[in-house]
Amino acid sequence: MRNRNDQGVGSIIGGVFFLLIIISGYTYYTVHISITEGYNETLETMNALDWDHNQENLVIEDVTITGSNTLNVTLENQGPVLSHLIYLGIFNKTASPQTEDYSTLDIYVDPTETVTNIGSGITIIEGNKYIIQLVTELGNIIEHDFYPASDVICDLNLIAVPATAYVGNNITVLLSVTHNDTDVDTIQSLTVSLEATPSGLVEVKEIPNSLSVKGIQRGESTFFKWVYTTIDAGTVTFNATYEEASTGIYALSKVMIIGAFIAEISISGPDIISWAADTAYTTRFAYGDGEPIRDHLLLTIYSNGSTTT
Amino acid sequence: MFRSICDDKRGVSEIVGSFVMILIVVIAGTFLYSYSVNAFSSTEGSYQLQTEGREEASRERFTIIAIWWDTSTQLNLTILNYGKIDVTINAVYIDGIAVTVFESGTGQIILRKGKQSIIFTSPITLTPGQTYELAAVSERGSKAEVHWNA
């Protein structure tokens, strides 16, 4: 007779195998999910990297050559993310063949922070055209054209006041140099010069503290002031330019210098006792070719019983 | 004898019958189990391989940071790797035309935060003042493009 306890053994064994199949299936499902989650995490990480890459905003504010002919770059982080500078590239476009040199950096710049003295160990040949490139860990590059004045077109404005002066008076000459060349970011240095023609009409009395200026940024203006004393009558032309400027880059201003104008006035009348000229109210205007005489002289005339002005 | 076997009304004993049933179940179960494990395993393996490839490609980020031209036919691209994985550049295109003559740089691993110069001969004639599209392609298929004015 069949033992009741033996019934269903095949079902149990089949059930065990069925369970094994389910477990293995669940295991592989878990592995599958894990792989997918890992991939999604990687995508999220790379999306964050792309976001930071787009948000990073660095601006080179100033580039100058120091007294020891080394580079000095000033940089500001205008973006919201921390920036890590990893390379500094110096491209010399004047050299033949052109050179590309990279130096490693390890500079962190916080948002709104300004860092200076970048490139302090790099020697620069003043007068050569350079492109300065900063490379960040987030994959952004910041380039800056750093050219000598000979490769830049600047806007010159020259004003000499007064337009007409007497011999012995002073003439003030103002020169403004504006860097508005759209192809260049910074001018390495610029030295202005001013010439008076004919030179015998004026004598320099005051010159600017320095005729040279370094590191002129695009859009920036620099001002210079001279003071001349007039020593002879005539028309003097002031011609301003800068060293190594291209042909046609200059500014002119003219001043007419006239000699002293003396007018003789006769005062006559009854009972005149004395007269006085109050020079405080006296203004004399130039008498030049074609110009009317405008001559104001305040006289006070004292006579018996009355005063006439 | 044949008729005696057919006329025999006696069956297999219960013990043997149970054993045979168990054997059948075990064999069938083992077959099903091994088949399912193999199927899951191969599916999982190919999915893992495919996902790994896509993941590695998604971690690549590189850009062309400098282009140097000797004004004749030689070009030098400087590639920066700013991604999360090493990169190997194995192809460069100029205006869609593949570069075939490389002097150096291709096939070399660019480490993370590293840069590499790739020097090659241009497959097309370059004219000063013209703008060209340069593309560098990695082994994993990622691409970096730049428009360059010669």
Side-chain angles (χ1 to χ4, degrees):
Chain A
M1 191 172 187
R2 191 174 173 188
N3 192 340
R4 285 181 186 264
N5 293 333
D6 295 333
Q7 289 176 354
V9 172
S11 300
I12 293 170
I13 294 171
V16 168
F17 277 106
F18 182 73
L19 194 63
L20 285 174
I21 293 170
I22 295 295
I23 290 172
S24 63
Y26 178 77
T27 303
Y28 284 112
Y29 169 76
T30 307
V31 171
H32 180 100
I33 293 295
S34 171
I35 293 171
T36 305
E37 281 181 358
Y39 175 61
N40 289 337
E41 278 179 17
T42 300
L43 286 183
E44 282 180 17
T45 303
M46 298 313 293
N47 284 339
L49 176 68
D50 291 336
W51 173 261
D52 289 343
H53 171 85
N54 292 330
Q55 291 295 305
E56 190 176 53
N57 184 14
L58 295 169
V59 175
I60 293 178
E61 293 198 324
D62 191 27
V63 178
T64 54
I65 301 175
T66 66
S68 49
N69 286 333
T70 57
L71 191 65
N72 182 351
V73 178
T74 301
L75 176 89
E76 182 185 4
N77 184 355
Q78 297 184 351
V81 298
L82 173 69
S83 293
H84 183 205
L85 303 175
I86 57 176
Y87 292 109
L88 170 64
I90 304 293
F91 308 153
N92 187 339
K93 297 183 72 176
T94 301
S96 181
Q98 295 182 10
T99 61
E100 273 183 17
D101 295 313
Y102 279 97
S103 309
T104 54
L105 296 175
D106 185 20
I107 300 172
Y108 287 90
V109 189
D110 287 313
T112 72
E113 184 183 359
T114 298
V115 175
T116 190
N117 280 330
I118 299 172
S120 57
I122 295 173
T123 302
I124 293 289
I125 303 171
E126 190 164 350
N128 282 5
K129 289 166 61 172
Y130 287 97
I131 295 177
I132 294 163
Q133 185 188 77
L134 286 167
V135 182
T136 72
E137 185 179 340
L138 287 172
N140 287 310
I141 58 175
I142 305 99
E143 288 193 340
H144 199 85
D145 295 328
F146 188 51
Y147 285 9
S150 56
D151 290 289
V152 186
I153 297 174
C154 292
D155 186 36
L156 299 173
N157 276 300
L158 186 67
I159 300 173
V161 291
T164 307
Y166 283 93
V167 173
N169 285 3
N170 287 343
I171 299 172
T172 301
V173 182
L174 300 169
L175 171 67
S176 73
V177 181
T178 303
H179 170 21
N180 55 5
D181 192 326
T182 55
D183 292 333
V184 180
D185 293 301
T186 301
I187 304 173
Q188 293 172 5
S189 68
L190 185 143
T191 302
V192 297
S193 63
L194 183 69
E195 215 174 73
T197 308
S199 58
L201 299 184
V202 293
E203 193 176 65
V204 64
K205 185 179 173 186
E206 185 184 311
I207 61 171
N209 289 334
S210 174
L211 294 175
S212 295
V213 63
K214 293 192 172 191
I216 307 174
Q217 303 292 318
R218 188 192 305 139
E220 193 179 315
S221 293
T222 309
F223 301 93
F224 303 88
K225 174 185 155 187
W226 291 262
V227 177
Y228 285 84
T229 302
T230 56
I231 56 179
D232 204 356
T235 300
V236 62
T237 301
F238 293 97
N239 184 336
T241 185
Y242 53 89
E243 284 182 7
E244 299 179 16
S246 305
T247 305
I249 299 181
Y250 60 90
L252 299 175
S253 187
K254 291 185 181 180
V255 173
M256 186 180 337
I257 306 171
I258 62 172
F261 184 76
I262 300 172
E264 189 174 298
I265 300 174
S266 295
I267 302 172
S268 60
D271 301 324
I272 293 175
I273 298 175
S274 65
W275 61 273
D278 188 342
T279 58
Y281 293 94
T282 302
T283 304
R284 300 208 301 188
F285 287 85
Y287 176 71
D289 292 337
E291 288 192 26
I293 298 173
R294 290 185 284 270
D295 198 341
H296 300 272
L297 181 67
L298 183 66
L299 293 175
T300 303
I301 303 171
Y302 300 94
S303 65
N304 283 331
S306 69
T307 301
T308 303
T309 301
Chain B
M1 185 178 173
F2 183 71
R3 191 187 296 174
S4 66
I5 292 173
C6 291
D7 291 336
D8 202 336
K9 290 191 179 12
R10 292 180 299 175
V12 179
S13 77
E14 289 172 357
I15 295 170
V16 174
S18 297
F19 178 73
V20 169
M21 288 301 297
I22 290 168
L23 195 62
I24 291 171
V25 169
V26 168
I27 292 171
T30 303
F31 172 76
L32 280 174
Y33 177 72
S34 63
Y35 175 79
S36 66
V37 165
N38 282 337
F40 286 144
S41 174
S42 65
T43 304
E44 196 56 46
S46 71
Y47 178 74
Q48 188 172 5
L49 206 63
Q50 187 182 15
T51 307
E52 265 182 21
R54 283 191 294 170
E55 185 182 348
E56 286 179 356
S58 71
R59 288 163 65 191
E60 281 192 338
R61 291 290 187 277
F62 58 93
T63 184
I64 300 171
I65 61 173
I67 302 169
W68 178 89
W69 178 39
D70 70 349
T71 68
S72 63
T73 58
Q74 191 177 69
L75 281 164
N76 179 344
L77 297 189
T78 304
I79 309 283
L80 170 75
N81 177 9
Y82 68 98
K84 301 285 188 186
I85 194 170
D86 299 341
V87 165
T88 303
I89 304 296
N90 69 346
V92 176
Y93 296 85
I94 300 179
D95 280 353
I97 299 171
V99 172
T100 54
V101 180
F102 289 93
E103 286 194 23
S104 67
T106 53
Q108 296 184 15
I109 296 173
I110 308 175
L111 301 176
R112 290 182 57 193
K113 301 187 206 177
K115 59 176 181 60
Q116 176 71 44
S117 287
I118 299 176
I119 304 173
F120 57 91
T121 301
S122 171
I124 60 174
T125 304
L126 300 173
T127 307
Q130 292 265 17
T131 300
Y132 299 92
E133 184 187 79
L134 273 74
V137 182
S138 71
E139 279 186 347
R140 298 187 184 96
S142 302
K143 186 171 70 170
E145 282 180 348
V146 66
H147 286 90
W148 168 64
N149 187 276

